[in-house]
Amino acid sequence: MAEYKSKVLIIGSGPAGYTAGIYAARAGLKPVLVSGTQVGGQLTITTEVENFPGFPEPIQGGELMQRMRDQAQNVGVQMIDDTITEIDFEHRPFVCSSENANSFVGDSLIIATGASARWLGLPSEEKFRGFGVSACATCDGFFYRNVAVVGGGNSALEEALYLTNFAKNVTIIHRRDAFRADKTMQERVAQNHKINVIWNCVVEEILGTESPLGVTGLRLKNVKTDNTTDVAVDGVFIAIGHHPNTDLVKGHLHLDKENYIVTKHNSCETSIKGVFAAGDVRDPQYRQAIIAAGSGCIAALEAEKYLNELGEQKNAVKPEAV
Ligand code: FAD
Ligand code: NAP
């Protein structure tokens, strides 16, 4: 158990958190960054990243995030592998408790807790999670040969393409008749002979065996006809988007109807002075690594400005009465 004090306390180690750390450290603010359970954030569970500037050849997500971490460490960010469980927003400085019973004290806070995979919410999905049901193809794809991917966004199509490295057949199940994913991704999927698409269908139930526990198929419902069909698969990857990790700040910071942190226009300032939000946790629209990094930069610059103003207020000499 230890106490870590800093002018800028950053929560999260994705592109937003690391970039905030780099800017805060270079401003001489000696930031402390708490990594959370997913060190490096969402990009560590993907393969090739092709759209982060500065890398003419695709770079593996894990390698990109390790480079950001190394850069942040090299400029002086203090990294602590721990998870924040509670924040006291009522007092200054802010005090956070953690899973490892540490105490983190920050004059300002940057919340960069990102987003997590969304699930369908079926009891059978819960039952077979880890036994044929997954939300991470790079983690679990190797184990299955006849797989389905649920979703129609970039994640789903990327997962499907990646899964063709191991599987004989990959079926994408989408609830509409058009993908949301980028055109480039759609073209790659269309050209891959291992991938087929089932349109206008939702998963009604994940089918499987009890002993050993494992997936054997999916019961699909056509949303236009209400007809149900069973398809045989041994693995199913859920890629239906993400929800923001805002449980920590719920009831304290202003959130939108989807629970994203609301920040002021063109700013990372939240509804509480001295608390800034960066990355996917405040971005219901774009959710891209470069944007997360950009907002991490804004949050650090705004935290610096806030701390300067705080210092000026403390140091201000009251004019003497005449
Ligand atoms: P995240 O990367 O989500 O990181 C959040 C961090 O917060 C994690 O380190 C986590 O451990 C930490 N955390 C959470 N709760 C706590 C807590 N209580 N205490 C301490 N720490 C906590 N974008 C692209 O631009 N290009 C791509 O090619 C691309 N591919 C993607 C592929 C996949 C499969 C996925 C899922 C996303 C992809 N994205 C891509 C989107 C991109 O990953 C995100 O936009 C980006 O990672 C968001 O960064 P972030 O820093 O806001 O949060
Ligand atoms: P997303 O863009 O929100 O797409 C989610 C998909 O899942 C949509 O097609 C949606 O259907 C479907 N869906 C949602 N809820 C569902 C449910 N309950 N049942 C069935 N289907 C459901 O999420 P994402 O694909 O995870 O992408 C998130 C962000 O990361 C995006 O900004 C994306 O561009 C980015 N990303 C980028 C890359 C890349 O650049 N290479 C790769 C991965 C992710 P509808 O279309 O009908 O709404």
Side-chain angles (χ1 to χ4, degrees):
M1 183 174 161
E3 186 180 72
Y4 298 92
K5 283 189 178 168
S6 60
K7 289 185 178 148
V8 184
L9 176 63
I10 301 163
I11 307 177
S13 59
Y18 286 152
T19 308
I22 291 165
Y23 275 79
R26 296 200 71 249
L29 297 172
K30 298 194 170 74
V32 168
L33 184 150
V34 188
S35 299
T37 45
Q38 191 174 43
V39 179
Q42 291 169 66
L43 280 186
T44 57
I45 62 157
T46 192
T47 49
E48 292 185 344
V49 178
E50 289 182 332
N51 51 14
F52 200 88
F55 299 92
E57 304 301 328
I59 179 165
Q60 295 293 309
E63 191 192 338
L64 177 61
M65 294 319 299
Q66 185 58 50
R67 284 181 179 226
M68 283 192 207
R69 188 175 178 88
D70 292 346
Q71 186 178 357
Q73 241 154 1
N74 290 346
V75 294
V77 179
Q78 189 182 0
M79 310 271 183
I80 310 291
D81 286 343
D82 200 350
T83 299
I84 301 296
T85 48
E86 210 178 333
I87 305 173
D88 177 359
F89 287 101
E90 303 304 320
H91 302 96
R92 301 290 182 282
F94 302 100
V95 179
C96 306
S97 340
S98 79
E99 229 164 62
N100 297 343
N102 292 316
S103 170
F104 293 90
V105 183
D107 292 330
S108 65
L109 280 186
I110 297 179
I111 314 283
T113 47
S116 297
R118 216 186 268 150
W119 296 93
L120 294 169
L122 302 168
S124 51
E125 174 191 57
E126 181 74 38
K127 176 175 168 181
F128 291 110
R129 214 189 278 182
F131 297 89
V133 174
S134 169
C136 177
T138 38
C139 318
D140 303 321
F142 175 77
F143 301 108
Y144 309 105
R145 298 293 170 265
N146 187 20
V147 299
V149 178
V150 183
N154 275 328
S155 292
L157 271 60
E158 196 170 76
E159 300 267 85
L161 286 162
Y162 176 73
L163 286 162
T164 60
N165 290 320
F166 315 104
K168 282 194 243 151
N169 304 299
V170 178
T171 304
I172 299 176
I173 293 152
H174 186 35
R175 63 182 178 183
R176 289 191 293 130
D177 59 2
F179 286 132
R180 175 182 293 273
D182 299 344
K183 286 279 172 288
T184 324
M185 206 73 92
Q186 294 193 34
E187 279 160 20
R188 284 185 200 162
V189 161
Q191 281 159 15
N192 194 310
H193 69 277
K194 283 191 179 178
I195 303 179
N196 74 300
V197 183
I198 299 182
W199 302 104
N200 298 315
C201 277
V202 291
V203 178
E204 211 172 53
E205 198 183 340
I206 295 167
L207 311 169
T209 51
E210 291 293 330
S211 179
L213 199 58
V215 169
T216 55
L218 301 175
R219 180 149 304 147
L220 303 180
K221 187 173 91 175
N222 186 303
V223 293
K224 299 231 154 140
T225 62
D226 273 353
N227 287 343
T228 55
T229 42
D230 291 355
V231 292
V233 293
D234 57 356
V236 55
F237 291 83
I238 312 297
I240 60 168
H242 291 78
H243 61 82
N245 296 323
T246 47
D247 284 355
L248 261 184
V249 300
K250 211 174 267 176
H252 301 283
L253 299 183
H254 184 193
L255 306 182
D256 72 7
K257 60 181 188 324
E258 289 177 85
N259 289 325
Y260 286 87
I261 298 176
V262 175
T263 51
K264 292 188 183 144
H265 183 59
N266 275 341
S267 158
C268 288
E269 285 177 36
T270 68
S271 51
I272 295 184
K273 236 179 156 18
V275 181
F276 304 86
D280 279 14
V281 77
R282 65 175 280 272
D283 181 2
Q285 202 174 355
Y286 300 111
R287 286 166 292 161
Q288 296 292 301
I290 188 69
I291 294 176
S295 68
C297 161
I298 295 173
L301 294 175
E302 290 182 337
E304 184 187 7
K305 187 164 169 270
Y306 165 78
L307 291 166
N308 285 339
E309 285 167 4
L310 206 66
E312 278 164 23
Q313 276 168 26
K314 270 189 197 154
N315 298 334
V317 181
K318 284 202 182 119
E320 279 176 35
V322 264

PDB file of all heavy atoms in Angstrom, residues 250-274:
ATOM      1  N   LYS A 250     -19.867   7.868 -12.854  1.00  0.00           N
ATOM      2  CA  LYS A 250     -21.334   7.987 -12.906  1.00  0.00           C
ATOM      3  C   LYS A 250     -21.866   8.635 -11.629  1.00  0.00           C
ATOM      4  O   LYS A 250     -21.408   8.301 -10.531  1.00  0.00           O
ATOM      5  CB  LYS A 250     -21.946   6.584 -13.071  1.00  0.00           C
ATOM      6  CG  LYS A 250     -23.237   6.582 -13.843  1.00  0.00           C
ATOM      7  CD  LYS A 250     -23.717   5.177 -14.109  1.00  0.00           C
ATOM      8  CE  LYS A 250     -23.224   4.690 -15.451  1.00  0.00           C
ATOM      9  NZ  LYS A 250     -23.574   3.295 -15.714  1.00  0.00           N
ATOM     10  N   GLY A 251     -22.764   9.576 -11.770  1.00  0.00           N
ATOM     11  CA  GLY A 251     -23.312  10.251 -10.595  1.00  0.00           C
ATOM     12  C   GLY A 251     -22.487  11.460 -10.180  1.00  0.00           C
ATOM     13  O   GLY A 251     -22.884  12.206  -9.292  1.00  0.00           O
ATOM     14  N   HIS A 252     -21.329  11.645 -10.801  1.00  0.00           N
ATOM     15  CA  HIS A 252     -20.462  12.789 -10.479  1.00  0.00           C
ATOM     16  C   HIS A 252     -20.284  13.689 -11.697  1.00  0.00           C
ATOM     17  O   HIS A 252     -20.562  14.874 -11.655  1.00  0.00           O
ATOM     18  CB  HIS A 252     -19.093  12.306  -9.996  1.00  0.00           C
ATOM     19  CG  HIS A 252     -19.174  11.433  -8.791  1.00  0.00           C
ATOM     20  ND1 HIS A 252     -19.383  11.935  -7.540  1.00  0.00           N
ATOM     21  CD2 HIS A 252     -19.112  10.083  -8.655  1.00  0.00           C
ATOM     22  CE1 HIS A 252     -19.434  10.942  -6.673  1.00  0.00           C
ATOM     23  NE2 HIS A 252     -19.281   9.803  -7.331  1.00  0.00           N
ATOM     24  N   LEU A 253     -19.806  13.084 -12.808  1.00  0.00           N
ATOM     25  CA  LEU A 253     -19.615  13.876 -14.025  1.00  0.00           C
ATOM     26  C   LEU A 253     -20.873  13.802 -14.874  1.00  0.00           C
ATOM     27  O   LEU A 253     -21.602  12.805 -14.840  1.00  0.00           O
ATOM     28  CB  LEU A 253     -18.431  13.335 -14.841  1.00  0.00           C
ATOM     29  CG  LEU A 253     -17.060  13.355 -14.175  1.00  0.00           C
ATOM     30  CD1 LEU A 253     -16.000  12.861 -15.160  1.00  0.00           C
ATOM     31  CD2 LEU A 253     -16.714  14.759 -13.694  1.00  0.00           C
ATOM     32  N   HIS A 254     -21.085  14.846 -15.673  1.00  0.00           N
ATOM     33  CA  HIS A 254     -22.230  14.862 -16.580  1.00  0.00           C
ATOM     34  C   HIS A 254     -21.968  13.853 -17.717  1.00  0.00           C
ATOM     35  O   HIS A 254     -20.957  13.929 -18.406  1.00  0.00           O
ATOM     36  CB  HIS A 254     -22.381  16.297 -17.115  1.00  0.00           C
ATOM     37  CG  HIS A 254     -23.578  16.478 -17.979  1.00  0.00           C
ATOM     38  ND1 HIS A 254     -23.767  17.579 -18.768  1.00  0.00           N
ATOM     39  CD2 HIS A 254     -24.654  15.687 -18.184  1.00  0.00           C
ATOM     40  CE1 HIS A 254     -24.904  17.451 -19.415  1.00  0.00           C
ATOM     41  NE2 HIS A 254     -25.462  16.322 -19.086  1.00  0.00           N
ATOM     42  N   LEU A 255     -22.899  12.896 -17.905  1.00  0.00           N
ATOM     43  CA  LEU A 255     -22.775  11.894 -18.969  1.00  0.00           C
ATOM     44  C   LEU A 255     -23.916  12.078 -19.964  1.00  0.00           C
ATOM     45  O   LEU A 255     -24.973  12.593 -19.598  1.00  0.00           O
ATOM     46  CB  LEU A 255     -22.857  10.474 -18.397  1.00  0.00           C
ATOM     47  CG  LEU A 255     -21.901  10.099 -17.258  1.00  0.00           C
ATOM     48  CD1 LEU A 255     -22.095   8.635 -16.858  1.00  0.00           C
ATOM     49  CD2 LEU A 255     -20.446  10.322 -17.659  1.00  0.00           C
ATOM     50  N   ASP A 256     -23.710  11.623 -21.217  1.00  0.00           N
ATOM     51  CA  ASP A 256     -24.818  11.703 -22.183  1.00  0.00           C
ATOM     52  C   ASP A 256     -25.703  10.458 -22.043  1.00  0.00           C
ATOM     53  O   ASP A 256     -25.465   9.618 -21.165  1.00  0.00           O
ATOM     54  CB  ASP A 256     -24.284  11.914 -23.615  1.00  0.00           C
ATOM     55  CG  ASP A 256     -23.610  10.681 -24.190  1.00  0.00           C
ATOM     56  OD1 ASP A 256     -23.655   9.603 -23.558  1.00  0.00           O
ATOM     57  OD2 ASP A 256     -23.019  10.780 -25.279  1.00  0.00           O
ATOM     58  N   LYS A 257     -26.681  10.310 -22.930  1.00  0.00           N
ATOM     59  CA  LYS A 257     -27.657   9.218 -22.738  1.00  0.00           C
ATOM     60  C   LYS A 257     -27.024   7.834 -22.964  1.00  0.00           C
ATOM     61  O   LYS A 257     -27.555   6.830 -22.511  1.00  0.00           O
ATOM     62  CB  LYS A 257     -28.900   9.417 -23.620  1.00  0.00           C
ATOM     63  CG  LYS A 257     -28.654   9.469 -25.103  1.00  0.00           C
ATOM     64  CD  LYS A 257     -29.967   9.695 -25.823  1.00  0.00           C
ATOM     65  CE  LYS A 257     -29.917   9.577 -27.326  1.00  0.00           C
ATOM     66  NZ  LYS A 257     -28.753  10.022 -28.039  1.00  0.00           N
ATOM     67  N   GLU A 258     -25.868   7.801 -23.659  1.00  0.00           N
ATOM     68  CA  GLU A 258     -25.174   6.516 -23.843  1.00  0.00           C
ATOM     69  C   GLU A 258     -24.039   6.337 -22.822  1.00  0.00           C
ATOM     70  O   GLU A 258     -23.174   5.475 -23.000  1.00  0.00           O
ATOM     71  CB  GLU A 258     -24.597   6.429 -25.245  1.00  0.00           C
ATOM     72  CG  GLU A 258     -25.634   6.271 -26.339  1.00  0.00           C
ATOM     73  CD  GLU A 258     -24.972   6.258 -27.702  1.00  0.00           C
ATOM     74  OE1 GLU A 258     -24.516   5.187 -28.147  1.00  0.00           O
ATOM     75  OE2 GLU A 258     -24.878   7.334 -28.311  1.00  0.00           O
ATOM     76  N   ASN A 259     -24.017   7.231 -21.818  1.00  0.00           N
ATOM     77  CA  ASN A 259     -23.017   7.178 -20.738  1.00  0.00           C
ATOM     78  C   ASN A 259     -21.613   7.627 -21.111  1.00  0.00           C
ATOM     79  O   ASN A 259     -20.645   7.287 -20.424  1.00  0.00           O
ATOM     80  CB  ASN A 259     -22.957   5.772 -20.102  1.00  0.00           C
ATOM     81  CG  ASN A 259     -24.189   5.499 -19.286  1.00  0.00           C
ATOM     82  OD1 ASN A 259     -24.731   6.417 -18.660  1.00  0.00           O
ATOM     83  ND2 ASN A 259     -24.657   4.264 -19.305  1.00  0.00           N
ATOM     84  N   TYR A 260     -21.473   8.346 -22.235  1.00  0.00           N
ATOM     85  CA  TYR A 260     -20.172   8.958 -22.545  1.00  0.00           C
ATOM     86  C   TYR A 260     -20.037  10.241 -21.718  1.00  0.00           C
ATOM     87  O   TYR A 260     -21.041  10.933 -21.469  1.00  0.00           O
ATOM     88  CB  TYR A 260     -20.067   9.319 -24.036  1.00  0.00           C
ATOM     89  CG  TYR A 260     -19.880   8.113 -24.921  1.00  0.00           C
ATOM     90  CD1 TYR A 260     -20.981   7.390 -25.397  1.00  0.00           C
ATOM     91  CD2 TYR A 260     -18.611   7.680 -25.268  1.00  0.00           C
ATOM     92  CE1 TYR A 260     -20.811   6.261 -26.184  1.00  0.00           C
ATOM     93  CE2 TYR A 260     -18.434   6.555 -26.065  1.00  0.00           C
ATOM     94  CZ  TYR A 260     -19.530   5.852 -26.522  1.00  0.00           C
ATOM     95  OH  TYR A 260     -19.366   4.744 -27.301  1.00  0.00           O
ATOM     96  N   ILE A 261     -18.783  10.572 -21.324  1.00  0.00           N
ATOM     97  CA  ILE A 261     -18.574  11.805 -20.558  1.00  0.00           C
ATOM     98  C   ILE A 261     -18.780  13.000 -21.485  1.00  0.00           C
ATOM     99  O   ILE A 261     -18.242  13.041 -22.602  1.00  0.00           O
ATOM    100  CB  ILE A 261     -17.151  11.855 -19.965  1.00  0.00           C
ATOM    101  CG1 ILE A 261     -16.944  10.694 -18.979  1.00  0.00           C
ATOM    102  CG2 ILE A 261     -16.886  13.195 -19.275  1.00  0.00           C
ATOM    103  CD1 ILE A 261     -15.535  10.586 -18.405  1.00  0.00           C
ATOM    104  N   VAL A 262     -19.566  13.943 -21.020  1.00  0.00           N
ATOM    105  CA  VAL A 262     -19.808  15.159 -21.809  1.00  0.00           C
ATOM    106  C   VAL A 262     -18.695  16.158 -21.492  1.00  0.00           C
ATOM    107  O   VAL A 262     -18.420  16.439 -20.327  1.00  0.00           O
ATOM    108  CB  VAL A 262     -21.189  15.766 -21.464  1.00  0.00           C
ATOM    109  CG1 VAL A 262     -21.399  17.089 -22.182  1.00  0.00           C
ATOM    110  CG2 VAL A 262     -22.297  14.772 -21.800  1.00  0.00           C
ATOM    111  N   THR A 263     -18.042  16.652 -22.553  1.00  0.00           N
ATOM    112  CA  THR A 263     -17.012  17.687 -22.360  1.00  0.00           C
ATOM    113  C   THR A 263     -17.457  18.954 -23.073  1.00  0.00           C
ATOM    114  O   THR A 263     -18.290  18.906 -23.985  1.00  0.00           O
ATOM    115  CB  THR A 263     -15.650  17.224 -22.914  1.00  0.00           C
ATOM    116  OG1 THR A 263     -15.831  16.766 -24.249  1.00  0.00           O
ATOM    117  CG2 THR A 263     -15.043  16.124 -22.073  1.00  0.00           C
ATOM    118  N   LYS A 264     -16.869  20.076 -22.656  1.00  0.00           N
ATOM    119  CA  LYS A 264     -17.257  21.350 -23.263  1.00  0.00           C
ATOM    120  C   LYS A 264     -16.834  21.382 -24.725  1.00  0.00           C
ATOM    121  O   LYS A 264     -15.887  20.680 -25.119  1.00  0.00           O
ATOM    122  CB  LYS A 264     -16.608  22.500 -22.493  1.00  0.00           C
ATOM    123  CG  LYS A 264     -17.200  22.602 -21.109  1.00  0.00           C
ATOM    124  CD  LYS A 264     -16.768  23.822 -20.358  1.00  0.00           C
ATOM    125  CE  LYS A 264     -17.375  23.742 -18.967  1.00  0.00           C
ATOM    126  NZ  LYS A 264     -16.526  24.263 -17.936  1.00  0.00           N
ATOM    127  N   HIS A 265     -17.498  22.203 -25.522  1.00  0.00           N
ATOM    128  CA  HIS A 265     -17.221  22.288 -26.949  1.00  0.00           C
ATOM    129  C   HIS A 265     -15.742  22.605 -27.195  1.00  0.00           C
ATOM    130  O   HIS A 265     -15.179  23.504 -26.554  1.00  0.00           O
ATOM    131  CB  HIS A 265     -18.112  23.379 -27.571  1.00  0.00           C
ATOM    132  CG  HIS A 265     -17.943  23.484 -29.052  1.00  0.00           C
ATOM    133  ND1 HIS A 265     -18.177  22.421 -29.916  1.00  0.00           N
ATOM    134  CD2 HIS A 265     -17.528  24.510 -29.834  1.00  0.00           C
ATOM    135  CE1 HIS A 265     -17.933  22.800 -31.143  1.00  0.00           C
ATOM    136  NE2 HIS A 265     -17.539  24.059 -31.129  1.00  0.00           N
ATOM    137  N   ASN A 266     -15.086  21.831 -28.078  1.00  0.00           N
ATOM    138  CA  ASN A 266     -13.672  22.037 -28.420  1.00  0.00           C
ATOM    139  C   ASN A 266     -12.750  21.938 -27.214  1.00  0.00           C
ATOM    140  O   ASN A 266     -11.738  22.639 -27.143  1.00  0.00           O
ATOM    141  CB  ASN A 266     -13.462  23.422 -29.058  1.00  0.00           C
ATOM    142  CG  ASN A 266     -13.737  23.373 -30.542  1.00  0.00           C
ATOM    143  OD1 ASN A 266     -13.726  22.281 -31.127  1.00  0.00           O
ATOM    144  ND2 ASN A 266     -13.987  24.513 -31.139  1.00  0.00           N
ATOM    145  N   SER A 267     -13.102  21.115 -26.259  1.00  0.00           N
ATOM    146  CA  SER A 267     -12.339  21.078 -25.009  1.00  0.00           C
ATOM    147  C   SER A 267     -12.493  19.693 -24.371  1.00  0.00           C
ATOM    148  O   SER A 267     -13.376  18.915 -24.729  1.00  0.00           O
ATOM    149  CB  SER A 267     -12.915  22.163 -24.093  1.00  0.00           C
ATOM    150  OG  SER A 267     -12.623  21.898 -22.752  1.00  0.00           O
ATOM    151  N   CYS A 268     -11.618  19.378 -23.423  1.00  0.00           N
ATOM    152  CA  CYS A 268     -11.743  18.123 -22.666  1.00  0.00           C
ATOM    153  C   CYS A 268     -12.207  18.385 -21.245  1.00  0.00           C
ATOM    154  O   CYS A 268     -12.163  17.491 -20.394  1.00  0.00           O
ATOM    155  CB  CYS A 268     -10.394  17.395 -22.654  1.00  0.00           C
ATOM    156  SG  CYS A 268      -9.999  16.699 -24.263  1.00  0.00           S
ATOM    157  N   GLU A 269     -12.628  19.625 -20.957  1.00  0.00           N
ATOM    158  CA  GLU A 269     -13.123  19.963 -19.618  1.00  0.00           C
ATOM    159  C   GLU A 269     -14.451  19.262 -19.374  1.00  0.00           C
ATOM    160  O   GLU A 269     -15.325  19.266 -20.233  1.00  0.00           O
ATOM    161  CB  GLU A 269     -13.369  21.472 -19.504  1.00  0.00           C
ATOM    162  CG  GLU A 269     -12.103  22.286 -19.389  1.00  0.00           C
ATOM    163  CD  GLU A 269     -12.417  23.778 -19.359  1.00  0.00           C
ATOM    164  OE1 GLU A 269     -13.440  24.169 -18.770  1.00  0.00           O
ATOM    165  OE2 GLU A 269     -11.632  24.526 -19.951  1.00  0.00           O
ATOM    166  N   THR A 270     -14.580  18.680 -18.189  1.00  0.00           N
ATOM    167  CA  THR A 270     -15.842  18.014 -17.834  1.00  0.00           C
ATOM    168  C   THR A 270     -16.687  18.968 -16.982  1.00  0.00           C
ATOM    169  O   THR A 270     -16.333  20.139 -16.822  1.00  0.00           O
ATOM    170  CB  THR A 270     -15.556  16.738 -17.015  1.00  0.00           C
ATOM    171  OG1 THR A 270     -15.039  17.140 -15.749  1.00  0.00           O
ATOM    172  CG2 THR A 270     -14.565  15.818 -17.717  1.00  0.00           C
ATOM    173  N   SER A 271     -17.739  18.419 -16.406  1.00  0.00           N
ATOM    174  CA  SER A 271     -18.624  19.259 -15.589  1.00  0.00           C
ATOM    175  C   SER A 271     -18.002  19.596 -14.234  1.00  0.00           C
ATOM    176  O   SER A 271     -18.568  20.373 -13.480  1.00  0.00           O
ATOM    177  CB  SER A 271     -19.974  18.562 -15.405  1.00  0.00           C
ATOM    178  OG  SER A 271     -19.775  17.244 -14.946  1.00  0.00           O
ATOM    179  N   ILE A 272     -16.856  18.982 -13.896  1.00  0.00           N
ATOM    180  CA  ILE A 272     -16.178  19.343 -12.629  1.00  0.00           C
ATOM    181  C   ILE A 272     -14.833  19.997 -12.961  1.00  0.00           C
ATOM    182  O   ILE A 272     -14.033  19.437 -13.737  1.00  0.00           O
ATOM    183  CB  ILE A 272     -15.970  18.102 -11.728  1.00  0.00           C
ATOM    184  CG1 ILE A 272     -17.326  17.550 -11.285  1.00  0.00           C
ATOM    185  CG2 ILE A 272     -15.096  18.451 -10.516  1.00  0.00           C
ATOM    186  CD1 ILE A 272     -17.261  16.382 -10.318  1.00  0.00           C
ATOM    187  N   LYS A 273     -14.595  21.148 -12.407  1.00  0.00           N
ATOM    188  CA  LYS A 273     -13.350  21.888 -12.654  1.00  0.00           C
ATOM    189  C   LYS A 273     -12.150  21.063 -12.205  1.00  0.00           C
ATOM    190  O   LYS A 273     -12.173  20.460 -11.137  1.00  0.00           O
ATOM    191  CB  LYS A 273     -13.380  23.213 -11.878  1.00  0.00           C
ATOM    192  CG  LYS A 273     -13.186  24.411 -12.777  1.00  0.00           C
ATOM    193  CD  LYS A 273     -13.247  25.699 -12.030  1.00  0.00           C
ATOM    194  CE  LYS A 273     -12.525  26.838 -12.719  1.00  0.00           C
ATOM    195  NZ  LYS A 273     -12.214  26.737 -14.104  1.00  0.00           N
ATOM    196  N   GLY A 274     -11.141  20.995 -13.054  1.00  0.00           N
ATOM    197  CA  GLY A 274      -9.934  20.246 -12.703  1.00  0.00           C
ATOM    198  C   GLY A 274      -9.990  18.789 -13.136  1.00  0.00           C
ATOM    199  O   GLY A 274      -9.008  18.058 -13.001  1.00  0.00           O
TER     200      GLY A 274
END
